Amino acid sequence: MTYSKVDGGRPAIVMSAFAANPDMSSETGIGWLFIKVASEIADASGCSVHAFMNMRSAIRVQAELERLAISTVVAVGIDMPRPLAFLERNPQLTRLEYLVWFARAKRQIKELSRTQDVIFGHHVTFATEMLPTPISALPPSAFRVWGPVGASGNSAVYDVEPTSELSRREKRLQRIRDFLARRAGRSFSKNIDLVLAQNDSVRDLFSNFGKTVRTFPNVVIKDDLQDQINGLPLSVSRGTDGRGLRLLAVGHLIPRKRFEIAIAAMQDERLNGSMLTILGAPLPGTPSYLPELVDRLGLTDRITFAGKLPRPEVLKHMNEADVLIHPSAREGASGVVGEATAVGIPVVCFDRTGASSVLDASGASGRSVPAESSNTSAFVDAILTAAELPRIRAAVWTERRFKLLVEELLTEAVGLRNRA
């Protein structure tokens, strides 16, 4: 179903965004952000934008387009067949819903390309190498861009002590995922001209397939959040002067985040007197296993579980802490690390992960620890080093960064067309 009409005579941009919502953060918010900046660029360049998404996203996006008086975008909502409508109501079946949406969107995009001069296609949400993209239906005359895509997992992180059956299970799952990703990524990128990788590991994966790849972590600090950060006083590094460090960990309390490494590090005598605050909560169905570990190690007086807090409170904790510890084994582009670098707190994470790619791209302070040769002692070394680094507030995670990316991609698409 199409919600609005645009002059069909213009060159067309196809945006593929399974989920998009201006009221939400994370991937759905990124979907709307890409659509919004594409509309601004299309308006200036004389193009139209056809944005394909699920129906519930299209309803909300269309309302926002009307509120902002944006007329260069066609919001195309893809309905589920009536017998499969239950997929929309069950978040656990979202990936099955995506596959149905993909098949329908691919058919409509192919039909659109018969009547519109599509010069640029861009798939922007649910961009995982494990799921196909409908812009593969566009002809070679269109510049087809997939991403930012992929989640980076470093299975060696699961070998860092303390290990458990939970970490061993996650390692097995990671190896299976790596195996499937190599095969799925090769197949799904076949008709893609450029892959935007979330991190260096995903970049290397697609480079091995012979694809053209650029790294672009999918992190944005929205203006309202940046205003809150700007209102915080810029703290200074405290170093290791014997007073003890204020350490912080933020995220879902799930096995692949590996917060047990941060907890075990507190046993090191070099961190005597230091305090660790953990912000976050287990996901539904995930056992709350970390408090039992803290109790067993005798660290209940030095480690605090503060629960899931509103974003302004999280930022305040970041600003007051000395080091953010983020030992996550797998994620795409870490929003937590992005926020931490914007606040200026030094970050310690593992190398070859989504967290390290965000840290590297930020230009802020921190240390990435090689998981393959790491143990808790090496992780503590990194914490002590990070605590003495200067507080640098990263200024790279802006909405303008996304606009510059789309401008660059459209310019490249036009250039390729002119040379054809």
Side-chain angles (χ1 to χ4, degrees):
M1 177 178 178
T2 301
Y3 279 93
S4 58
K5 294 182 180 296
V6 175
D7 178 8
R10 305 186 190 191
I13 298 170
V14 167
M15 303 289 292
S16 171
F18 170 75
N21 192 322
D23 304 321
M24 299 180 72
S25 59
S26 192
E27 192 163 18
T28 52
I30 292 292
W32 162 250
L33 175 57
F34 269 117
I35 292 170
K36 184 178 74 169
V37 300
S39 74
E40 295 168 1
I41 294 164
D43 190 47
S45 59
C47 297
S48 62
V49 179
H50 299 255
F52 292 78
M53 62 201 77
N54 61 45
M55 184 60 71
R56 55 191 179 278
S57 291
I59 292 170
R60 182 61 193 93
V61 165
Q62 179 60 27
E64 190 68 6
L65 292 172
E66 292 174 358
R67 187 185 74 81
L68 298 174
I70 294 174
S71 59
T72 51
V73 177
V74 179
V76 184
I78 307 294
D79 247 335
M80 286 292 103
R82 186 170 297 177
L84 299 177
F86 68 93
L87 295 174
E88 299 175 311
R89 300 187 294 271
N90 191 334
Q92 294 180 329
L93 300 177
T94 299
R95 278 162 176 74
L96 290 178
E97 180 194 356
Y98 177 92
L99 291 174
V100 177
W101 174 86
F102 155 76
R104 294 192 142 204
K106 184 177 181 180
R107 185 168 61 249
Q108 291 200 30
I109 288 173
K110 189 172 184 178
E111 291 173 358
L112 176 74
S113 67
R114 294 192 182 105
T115 59
Q116 298 280 333
D117 180 21
V118 179
I119 60 173
F120 172 40
H122 189 189
H123 181 82
V124 299
T125 70
F126 268 55
T128 164
E129 70 275 28
M130 303 290 286
L131 292 172
T133 166
I135 64 166
S136 60
L138 290 171
S141 58
F143 184 50
R144 299 159 295 186
V145 179
W146 187 23
V149 61
S152 175
N154 186 342
S155 61
V157 175
Y158 296 113
D159 293 329
V160 180
E161 296 290 346
T163 59
S164 65
E165 181 51 42
L166 286 174
S167 62
R168 288 187 287 273
R169 175 179 176 274
E170 289 293 330
K171 181 175 182 177
R172 291 192 295 270
L173 291 174
Q174 181 63 52
R175 286 183 166 176
I176 292 170
R177 190 187 188 284
D178 290 343
F179 175 82
L180 295 175
R182 286 192 294 270
R183 280 143 184 81
R186 182 186 295 275
S187 174
F188 297 153
S189 64
K190 189 173 297 184
N191 293 325
I192 299 298
D193 301 299
L194 171 66
V195 176
L196 298 173
Q198 287 264 45
N199 47 63
D200 294 345
S201 294
V202 176
R203 177 202 62 199
D204 294 345
L205 173 70
F206 284 99
S207 292
N208 290 336
F209 300 153
K211 306 303 297 186
T212 301
V213 192
R214 298 172 199 162
T215 303
F216 187 90
N218 212 4
V219 175
V220 62
I221 304 292
K222 292 187 176 180
D223 292 343
D224 57 342
L225 201 61
Q226 188 62 55
D227 289 342
Q228 294 173 28
I229 293 171
N230 294 341
L232 296 171
L234 182 59
S235 301
V236 296
S237 299
R238 286 180 34 162
T240 53
D241 57 4
R243 291 181 296 166
L245 297 173
R246 299 163 298 185
L247 307 175
L248 181 67
V250 181
H252 296 305
L253 307 188
I254 55 178
R256 72 169 178 265
K257 297 295 182 184
R258 297 249 54 205
F259 287 138
E260 56 266 37
I261 296 173
I263 291 169
M266 296 295 287
Q267 298 178 102
D268 193 296
E269 62 181 14
R270 292 172 293 172
L271 293 179
N272 284 349
S274 297
M275 306 293 291
L276 171 63
T277 300
I278 300 177
L279 306 182
L283 292 174
T286 303
S288 181
Y289 62 100
L290 294 176
E292 185 274 333
L293 175 63
V294 171
D295 185 60
R296 176 156 48 86
L297 296 178
L299 296 170
T300 52
D301 59 334
R302 296 174 51 212
I303 298 179
T304 301
F305 291 93
K308 186 176 181 180
L309 300 180
R311 224 63 225 154
E313 288 298 309
V314 173
L315 297 176
K316 187 171 181 290
H317 274 278
M318 286 182 174
N319 196 57
E320 294 172 350
D322 295 303
V323 178
L324 178 86
I325 308 175
H326 198 72
S328 177
R330 178 171 70 86
E331 53 198 327
S334 175
V336 166
V337 173
E339 290 174 4
T341 60
V343 170
I345 177 175
V347 175
V348 171
C349 59
F350 282 109
D351 200 5
R352 306 292 295 173
T353 63
S356 65
S357 292
V358 172
L359 176 60
D360 292 344
S362 72
S365 294
R367 284 291 181 268
S368 298
V369 183
E372 290 78 5
S373 59
S374 180
N375 51 42
T376 304
S377 178
F379 206 76
V380 174
D381 290 342
I383 293 171
L384 297 176
T385 301
E388 297 180 338
L389 296 175
R391 310 273 297 212
I392 301 172
R393 286 187 169 175
V396 299
W397 309 122
T398 63
E399 292 190 6
R400 176 169 170 73
R401 172 172 165 263
F402 286 75
K403 185 173 182 180
L404 291 173
L405 171 67
V406 177
E407 284 179 339
E408 177 186 340
L409 296 174
L410 181 58
T411 299
E412 192 165 347
V414 172
L416 290 171
R417 176 65 65 87
N418 289 340
R419 290 194 295 270

